[in-house]
Amino acid sequence: MSLTVAVQMDPIQNIRIAGDTTFALLLEAQRRGHRLVHYTPDRLSMQGRRVTARVEALTVQDVQGDHFTLAPPERIDLSECDVVLMRQDPPFDMAYVTATHMLERIHPKTLVVNDPSEVRNAPEKLFVLDFPELMPPTLISRDRAEIEAFRLEHGTVAMKPLHGHGGAAVFKVTEKDPNFGSMFDLFATTFKEAWVTQRYLDRVTEGDKRIILVDGVPMGAVNRVPAANDIRSNMVRGGAASASELTEREREICATIGPELARRGLILVGIDVIDGHLTEINVTSPTGIRAIERLGGPNLAVAVWDAIETRIATRKAS
């Protein structure tokens, strides 16, 4: 089948294609003969029941710096597309939430990936708390007394913004850290919402594994090891990627959460696991597909598009 696919993303000219999952999805869609159109979230509009965007027809090639061609912009009704890939990066702020409300108006007649209402209802550092038995001890709070009691109980902790991304503003705070007061003041001034305090996992130095699930099924993984003198393993923060297989514990984690991901219509999900502990469930714009393929694993964009096409074929047959 030939589909019309709109991709809502950050400006395509700014991406680094070697590690960009959205670009992997675009390459595979084009290989299958699907028509691609591109737009940024600021060009999304709603009037009455109509959700529109000013889009550019898009072609892609795997050559950094010459990786895309855009046609002149045109305004289209997104309900006339078969698929919308909602792939702009966080932060998960009110602009992001507003976009989910708008795209919810056209889903599922136009298949939005991931389901916009479920993306809105599954903030990555809150949704994971549905599975506390899989996690390290975790507190969501901005109450200083609660955080200090948590530190007294668990010792060294990691503190990070509730709606942060890419490893930004993640700190290791020791049990008697003299910087805690200043850290608390900084977070309280910077973030209006609660933040995450989590028991620190010493074995993060051995890696923070990103596992990609498609329709709730684990398809591949990459281990990300922090750079020297840094606790953050994100590749955008200098983490080193290496090929990885799933452990028995990681398969158990995937088997536990997989059915719920599928039930929610979350086709492409990336989870983070440190030393057998689930720490995040990433549903907004998960990455890792290109790193897995580069390290000798499968091209998981194939599995994603297989899942998308199956859903569309099933809907048209019903």
Side-chain angles (χ1 to χ4, degrees):
M1 70 179 77
S2 178
L3 306 175
T4 297
V5 178
V7 57
Q8 177 175 304
M9 62 182 293
D10 300 314
I12 194 168
Q13 60 267 28
N14 296 338
I15 66 174
R16 296 173 57 196
I17 65 173
D20 195 274
T21 288
T22 302
F23 194 74
L25 296 173
L26 294 175
L27 285 172
E28 178 61 19
Q30 182 174 269
R31 188 190 69 79
R32 294 178 180 225
H34 301 326
R35 175 177 178 258
L36 301 176
V37 297
H38 161 278
Y39 68 96
T40 50
D42 57 296
R43 288 188 276 153
L44 184 66
S45 302
M46 184 167 67
Q47 186 172 2
R49 292 186 175 88
R50 295 183 70 232
V51 179
T52 64
R54 283 191 304 108
V55 306
E56 302 113 341
L58 169 67
T59 57
V60 290
Q61 61 179 356
D62 204 356
V63 181
Q64 181 67 54
D66 189 25
H67 55 279
F68 70 97
T69 302
L70 296 175
E74 59 177 316
R75 183 171 176 266
I76 68 168
D77 187 329
L78 289 178
S79 69
E80 296 172 0
C81 296
D82 298 290
V83 182
V84 172
L85 300 178
M86 188 178 183
R87 288 291 306 176
Q88 78 266 28
D89 287 338
F92 188 81
D93 54 14
M94 286 309 298
Y96 209 111
V97 169
T98 300
T100 68
H101 281 290
M102 295 168 78
L103 292 178
E104 187 179 6
R105 301 297 183 98
I106 62 171
H107 178 83
K109 178 180 180 295
T110 293
L111 179 65
V112 182
V113 180
N114 285 316
D115 182 317
S117 64
E118 294 298 344
V119 167
R120 184 175 66 248
N121 293 333
E124 291 158 351
K125 297 177 183 66
L126 284 174
F127 176 32
V128 68
L129 291 169
D130 286 2
F131 308 95
E133 72 280 7
L134 304 178
M135 299 182 64
T138 300
L139 172 70
I140 310 295
S141 181
R142 58 183 292 121
D143 184 288
R144 181 163 182 165
E146 289 292 322
I147 296 170
E148 288 183 331
F150 186 87
R151 290 175 63 228
L152 183 63
E153 180 180 0
H154 296 289
T156 300
V157 298
M159 290 174 54
K160 54 188 175 180
L162 183 60
H163 298 307
H165 65 102
V170 178
F171 294 92
K172 175 182 178 181
V173 183
T174 60
E175 185 176 1
K176 297 182 178 180
D177 198 321
N179 292 308
F180 172 72
S182 294
M183 193 75 64
F184 179 89
D185 292 344
L186 176 65
F187 272 58
T189 301
T190 306
F191 306 113
K192 294 180 180 179
E193 63 279 345
W195 56 85
V196 181
T197 306
Q198 195 168 71
R199 189 185 74 197
Y200 183 75
L201 299 171
D202 291 315
R203 293 184 66 182
V204 68
T205 56
E206 299 173 21
D208 178 351
K209 190 174 293 188
R210 165 58 55 89
I211 302 171
I212 298 294
L213 297 95
V214 179
D215 258 349
V217 178
M219 295 286 186
V222 58
N223 195 41
R224 304 165 298 174
V225 178
N229 299 318
D230 202 332
I231 65 168
R232 303 170 300 173
S233 59
N234 310 72
M235 287 181 279
V236 295
R237 306 293 175 188
S242 61
S244 184
E245 298 293 329
L246 298 189
T247 66
E248 190 62 33
R249 169 62 173 171
E250 289 159 355
R251 293 189 182 280
E252 176 188 332
I253 290 171
C254 292
T256 301
I257 70 173
E260 180 64 11
L261 301 180
R263 186 192 71 78
R264 288 173 175 250
L266 297 169
I267 293 176
L268 175 57
V269 173
I271 67 170
D272 297 334
V273 179
I274 302 172
D275 188 25
H277 296 86
L278 178 66
T279 60
E280 291 188 17
I281 302 176
N282 298 278
V283 304
T284 51
S285 185
T287 62
I289 282 181
R290 298 219 88 182
I292 290 169
E293 183 181 16
R294 185 176 70 250
L295 293 166
N299 177 5
L300 299 186
V302 173
V304 173
W305 278 107
D306 285 347
I308 290 171
E309 290 176 2
T310 297
R311 270 178 166 71
I312 292 174
T314 300
R315 187 192 70 213
K316 288 182 176 180
S318 63

